Every structure is written in structure tokens, then in C-alpha cells.
Amino acid sequence: GRMKWMLERLGSPQNKITGIHVAGTNGKGSTLSYMRNALNANDYSVGTFTSPYIEIFNERISLNGEPVSDETIAELATLVRPVTEEMIDKTDLGAATEFEVITTMMFVYFGELHPVDFVIVEAGLGATHDSTNVFSPIMTILTSIGLDHTEILGDTLVDIAKDKAGVIKKDIPLVYNIADDLSKSHVQKVLAEKNAKSIELYKDIFIYHQGNEFAFKYENYDFENIQLKMIGMHQRENAALAMAALVEMQKRGEVTLDLNKMVDAIEETEWTGRIETLQESPLIIADGAHNNEAVDALVSTMRDYYGARKITILFSAVKGKPIGPMVDKLNEIAVEFYVTEFEFFKSLPLDDIYEAVSHPHKRIVKDYHKFIRDFDGDLLLITGSLYFISDV
């Protein structure tokens, strides 16, 4: 309600974009990044909206992969601020949250100030009640469903599926990857109600693994010998969702793609803080695995690619995450387990993290900057929260 009220007073800029809406528990940022690169490689201008930011706030609103300038952020905030103040004075809707303000700024930028060919919008939390869920997309994507933000979205996978199914719009295709059968059934029911085309990974989209490469097939389209820069089976799945969405857009006449350029761009895609190599010698890798499903993917990838290495883990997290199960999974691949805390209002206290870890070689790190600088082991894996990775 707050979003609609503010946007209406700003000329309804959300109705002036050609948008793609990406929801899901994990994989949203990577999938968005694959799509953006592929569209850029085909000479389309692309705006993106992502969260959280990793290095600078401006990343949230980016143009062709580059964060907008400080001047643009200031200009947008200046435009939006009077509307937020008017809403407090004249309605009983309450004050806009920071996320609602930045979402409104994004719609104003791409809808009014700097129109682009496509805007790829990443949902913040859930979908149904998310501040991004106020525009009519040409394509929707649901990357995954997992137990995250349970205090808001619900305690079961089906509860979370019900919220994220809010991304589905009448007559607009949904490309999705859902493992849980009950969640999948709910999404398919909503798709039928909305007369929206169902494009499901491992039913309509197929991946064939061939060592470091994989092949992709969707309807009459197939591509072979795809080798991604981003490692892990989960990244192949994210790339497959992106390719299927792009191919479907081409079939519907919404885009004209050179498919070779599309695949080349997807192969070259990188995404900050996702199994990212920060240093080669000694090897330091950072990954913002901030829930159980993300940790599962991280552990699996580390085993596949770095199984012979001696992995030291540096871990920190924010409140409200299932710390026990997360650190238990990470224990399996760690020779040493170091815990630390970082400056952030939701940062989990050091003692709480230390208590949760059952590793026989666990240690507390007070100064993680110095610890990282001085590390001289075989492989350091830094993980636990995207906000922590942002600081690192």
C-alpha cells in the first residue's frame, strides 16, 4: 500500500519499465547477473535492482552492471523524500522503510530519468508483500525455495512457497527451480489459476553434466560445452534458468538474441561474494552462504573442486539464521574453524557463534582483518553472511 501510494504521486514510473522479476531464497543475484550480461552482449541496455550491496550502496541500482553515481542517488532521494514525508503527514500508512525508499528510487530512475531496454528486479524478501511486487513484468523467475526469513515468511517450505508464488502474474511465464514437492504443487496450482506458462528445471529445462562443462536443452533449443566461470552445480542451475527465460522471451518476440553471444556472456559472468577467489596464494575464497540451502551448495562445491585441500573456515553471521545446522555442515569440510564478529546492527555476538560450533579445532578471532592478512595456510574459506563478506 505504501509503495502504490508513493509511486502514484511520482507518476507511476513502475508502469513505464519493461521488467523481469526475480524471486527466490538463493540464486537471485547470480541468475540476474547471467541475464544482464547476456542482454548487454546483445546490445541491450539493462537496469538492475539488487540487494544487499557488497561494496557500495549504489550497487543496488546499477546500469549495465555499473552502480549509479552518488549524484544520481542524491537526485533520486531528493525527488522521493517529499513524497515519503507527505505519506506520513496525510495517511495512516506509516513511514516508508529504507528498502521501500530505495525501491521507489529505482522505479523513478528507470521509469522516468533514465529509461533502458530492460530492468531486472530482484525481490527483497519473499514476493507477495515485497516492495518490488508493484509492476507488471514480461517474465518471472523463481530461483529456489528454502527456509530463510522464517520469522516473516513462515516456518515451512510451503509457507514460503505461498509467499514467493506472489511473483506469478496472469499470462506471464514463470521459470523456476523447486525441489520440495509440496511447494512445487502449490506453485503449479497458482500457475494454472493465473494461466501462466510453467517452465520447470528438470522437467522442461534439462542440464547434462560433462565434467567441467554442461549441456542445456529447452524445447527446440540446445547448447553444448558450456563452461561457467562461477563454479558449482547450483550455478549451472541458475545459468539454465537465465537461458530458458531469455529463450522464452525470444520466442515471445520480446527480444532478438544472437544465441552464441548469449552463451558466451553467460560463461564469462561473475558475481561478487559467491565462491569468489579473493587471493591465489595462499588461496582465499569468500562466499555469502547465509542459510542452510546456501551452505549445502557451498559445501558440495568445495568438496567437488577443492576436496584435496586443507580448508580453514572463518565464519560470522547475523541474528535470526539457523547457525547450528549451518556450522555443523561446514564442520565436515574444515580442518580448523575460526569464528569472529563484525560491525553491523544485526551481527550475532561472538560467544553465541562460538557456542554453536562443535569443531574440535575451533578458535575465536578478535581482529579478522589481521587474521586474513596474516593467513598462511592452504585454503581460507570466509563465509556465513553476505554482510560479513561485504566487510571482508
Side-chain angles (χ1 to χ4, degrees):
R2 287 195 292 267
M3 286 299 300
K4 285 175 179 171
W5 195 93
M6 289 189 293
L7 288 165
E8 197 172 294
R9 272 141 196 84
L10 289 160
S12 298
Q14 79 280 14
N15 297 334
K16 298 170 188 175
I17 66 166
T18 302
I20 298 151
H21 205 180
V22 184
T25 304
N26 296 309
K28 296 188 294 291
S30 300
T31 305
L32 170 149
S33 196
Y34 288 125
M35 291 192 77
R36 186 202 72 226
N37 270 8
L39 289 165
N40 282 161
N42 279 278
D43 300 321
Y44 289 103
S45 59
V46 183
T48 52
F49 182 65
T50 57
S51 62
Y53 66 90
I54 302 298
E55 291 179 58
I56 58 166
F57 181 88
N58 310 33
E59 289 168 29
R60 291 183 163 204
I61 303 173
S62 289
L63 177 62
N64 298 326
E66 292 297 319
V68 297
S69 66
D70 287 350
E71 290 75 17
T72 298
I73 292 285
E75 181 184 4
L76 291 167
T78 304
L79 282 169
V80 170
R81 178 177 172 170
V83 179
T84 67
E85 292 173 346
E86 187 187 357
M87 183 166 69
I88 295 170
D89 293 339
K90 294 188 177 176
T91 79
D92 55 5
L93 291 167
T97 65
E98 181 199 347
F99 195 75
E100 288 163 357
V101 172
I102 188 72
T103 308
T104 303
M105 287 163 59
M106 176 272 296
F107 282 126
V108 170
Y109 186 62
F110 294 123
E112 298 282 358
L113 299 190
H114 198 109
V116 288
D117 296 317
F118 298 99
V119 183
I120 313 176
V121 178
E122 179 187 323
L125 200 157
T128 301
H129 304 291
D130 189 65
S131 66
T132 61
N133 200 27
V134 289
F135 73 106
S136 299
I138 59 164
M139 176 63 59
T140 55
I141 301 172
L142 182 49
T143 56
S144 64
I145 286 173
L147 292 172
D148 203 2
H149 302 294
T150 50
E151 73 285 0
I152 296 167
L153 300 179
D155 293 329
T156 70
L157 288 171
V158 174
D159 288 336
I160 290 170
K162 284 177 180 174
D163 191 285
K164 292 191 188 292
V167 77
I168 301 167
K169 303 296 187 297
K170 191 174 183 334
D171 300 324
I172 303 302
L174 177 76
V175 180
Y176 63 103
N177 176 21
I178 303 175
D180 177 63
D181 287 337
L182 285 174
S183 301
K184 194 185 297 185
S185 295
H186 177 76
V187 165
Q188 287 168 342
K189 178 168 145 285
V190 177
L191 285 165
E193 288 166 1
K194 302 271 189 182
N195 192 40
K197 182 174 181 178
S198 169
I199 305 171
E200 183 187 338
L201 188 64
Y202 299 120
K203 183 183 174 207
D204 306 294
I205 310 162
F206 299 97
I207 303 174
Y208 305 98
H209 302 292
Q210 306 155 336
N212 289 334
E213 299 177 340
F214 72 101
F216 162 96
K217 181 169 174 56
Y218 169 58
E219 294 188 352
N220 297 325
Y221 296 82
D222 56 78
F223 314 114
E224 296 193 348
N225 309 119
I226 303 167
Q227 187 168 3
L228 303 176
K229 272 195 174 176
M230 293 208 281
I231 61 173
M233 295 299 175
H234 60 299
Q235 288 298 356
R236 296 180 180 189
E237 293 181 342
N238 295 336
L241 296 178
M243 286 189 285
L246 290 163
V247 163
E248 185 64 25
M249 284 164 57
Q250 170 124 314
K251 284 177 56 196
R252 291 164 68 90
E254 289 154 346
V255 68
T256 304
L257 299 170
D258 177 325
L259 297 175
N260 289 324
K261 286 182 181 176
M262 176 188 83
V263 173
D264 288 348
I266 281 170
E267 287 184 320
E268 289 299 310
T269 298
E270 295 176 286
W271 190 232
T272 308
R274 277 65 169 191
I275 313 188
E276 181 185 5
T277 298
L278 302 183
Q279 182 178 292
E280 291 286 353
S281 182
L283 183 56
I284 300 179
I285 293 171
D287 186 75
H290 57 285
N291 54 44
N292 277 322
E293 290 77 15
V295 171
D296 283 339
L298 173 59
V299 168
S300 170
T301 303
M302 293 305 289
R303 279 191 171 128
D304 287 347
Y305 289 82
Y306 301 103
R309 306 292 292 262
K310 290 177 180 167
I311 300 171
T312 299
I313 284 176
L314 178 64
F315 181 90
S316 195
V318 296
K319 293 168 187 168
K321 298 293 180 177
I323 298 301
M326 288 168 67
V327 296
D328 286 349
K329 293 168 204 264
L330 290 166
N331 278 344
E332 298 168 16
I333 59 168
V335 294
E336 295 178 300
F337 204 118
Y338 290 85
V339 300
T340 192
E341 64 183 336
F342 63 107
E343 281 190 34
F344 184 59
F345 74 102
K346 288 201 293 185
S347 178
L348 195 64
L350 194 49
D351 290 347
D352 292 5
I353 304 173
Y354 186 77
E355 283 301 311
V357 178
S358 60
H359 197 282
H361 304 292
K362 66 176 180 177
R363 307 270 189 283
I364 283 175
V365 170
K366 290 284 176 70
D367 183 351
Y368 69 83
H369 298 92
K370 184 175 188 305
F371 177 82
I372 294 167
R373 274 198 306 271
D374 295 347
F375 179 75
D376 63 354
D378 186 30
L379 191 166
L380 177 62
L381 173 62
I382 307 168
T383 189
S385 164
L386 271 171
Y387 296 103
F388 176 46
I389 297 307
S390 173
D391 263 22
V392 168

